[in-house]
Amino acid sequence: MKKYFQTITGEKSSSEAKRLLEAAFRKNIIKAVEVYKMYEDMINEEVQEYVIKTLKQTKLKIYTEQELKKVEERGIERGIEKGIEKGIEEGMEKGKEEKAKELAMKLLKKKLSNIPDDIIETIKKTRDIRKVEKMVEDIFSINDVEDVRKYLN
């Protein structure tokens, strides 16, 4: 197979190079693709285009450097877009949690007036936002600091 491609790279006539390529592909298309990749930079542009066209017809693909860069760039762009989307979602969720905590502390201060620092810290640090949301929903059932502690434990 290497013999075919060494002959092709030295061939001046594109038609003769194409004929030799066809012979290589008929002999073993997978091996021909592997060897073609090794000699790609030594084969003239017309022959390269011919090989790529032939491989597309057989459903195999040899990527040029430019095509690989485009694919890589598209992949990076998609990754960045997904990262941005995820960051926005996480930011919105974090904002919602912080807002719920602020609302809970504001309502508790109005309801009970004096809230111990440990409860305020517990509310700020809680990761289970459902507890805080439930406490806000049930604010009219909360009568003292001990009721608040029940929601947070």
Side-chain angles (χ1 to χ4, degrees):
M1 200 58 65
K2 288 182 182 180
K3 179 178 68 177
Y4 280 117
F5 282 91
Q6 287 169 343
T7 306
I8 292 166
T9 57
E11 194 58 52
K12 301 288 183 227
S13 159
S14 289
S15 61
E16 185 60 21
K18 289 177 185 176
R19 190 187 63 72
L20 289 167
L21 275 171
E22 286 174 1
F25 285 120
R26 278 195 301 274
K27 186 170 182 180
N28 182 341
I29 192 163
I30 303 300
K31 189 68 176 169
V33 169
E34 291 172 13
V35 176
Y36 168 78
K37 286 180 181 179
M38 291 189 304
Y39 289 94
E40 180 179 19
D41 59 332
M42 292 186 271
I43 298 172
N44 73 41
E45 201 171 307
E46 183 183 343
V47 174
Q48 284 183 11
E49 287 174 14
Y50 172 78
V51 170
I52 291 169
K53 184 179 130 200
T54 302
L55 291 174
K56 283 180 179 176
Q57 290 171 348
T58 61
K59 304 291 187 226
L60 291 174
K61 176 97 172 136
I62 293 181
Y63 293 96
T64 64
E65 285 296 317
Q66 293 163 332
E67 289 174 319
L68 286 173
K69 271 191 173 173
K70 285 180 187 175
V71 168
E72 183 180 18
E73 287 170 3
R74 274 187 257 136
I76 289 170
E77 287 172 9
R78 285 186 197 135
I80 290 170
E81 288 171 5
K82 285 184 180 184
I84 289 170
E85 287 173 11
K86 187 174 182 182
I88 289 170
E89 287 174 13
E90 288 175 3
M92 290 174 66
E93 188 63 32
K94 189 77 172 161
K96 180 181 166 188
E97 289 174 5
E98 291 304 313
K99 202 68 173 160
K101 291 175 184 181
E102 286 176 27
L103 179 61
M105 289 186 285
K106 188 184 272 187
L107 290 173
L108 286 171
K109 285 179 184 176
K110 282 195 177 239
K111 177 84 178 187
L112 305 175
S113 62
N114 189 18
I115 307 295
D117 290 340
D118 69 308
I119 289 181
I120 290 173
E121 284 305 308
T122 302
I123 291 171
K124 285 181 180 179
K125 291 180 181 178
T126 189
R127 295 191 185 270
D128 188 355
I129 199 65
R130 292 173 301 191
K131 289 179 180 180
V132 175
E133 289 172 342
K134 181 69 174 150
M135 189 169 47
V136 168
E137 286 175 22
D138 296 346
I139 194 69
F140 296 114
S141 303
I142 295 174
N143 296 314
D144 57 35
V145 173
E146 290 309 310
D147 289 341
V148 175
R149 290 185 198 285
K150 289 176 189 173
Y151 279 92
L152 295 175
N153 292 328

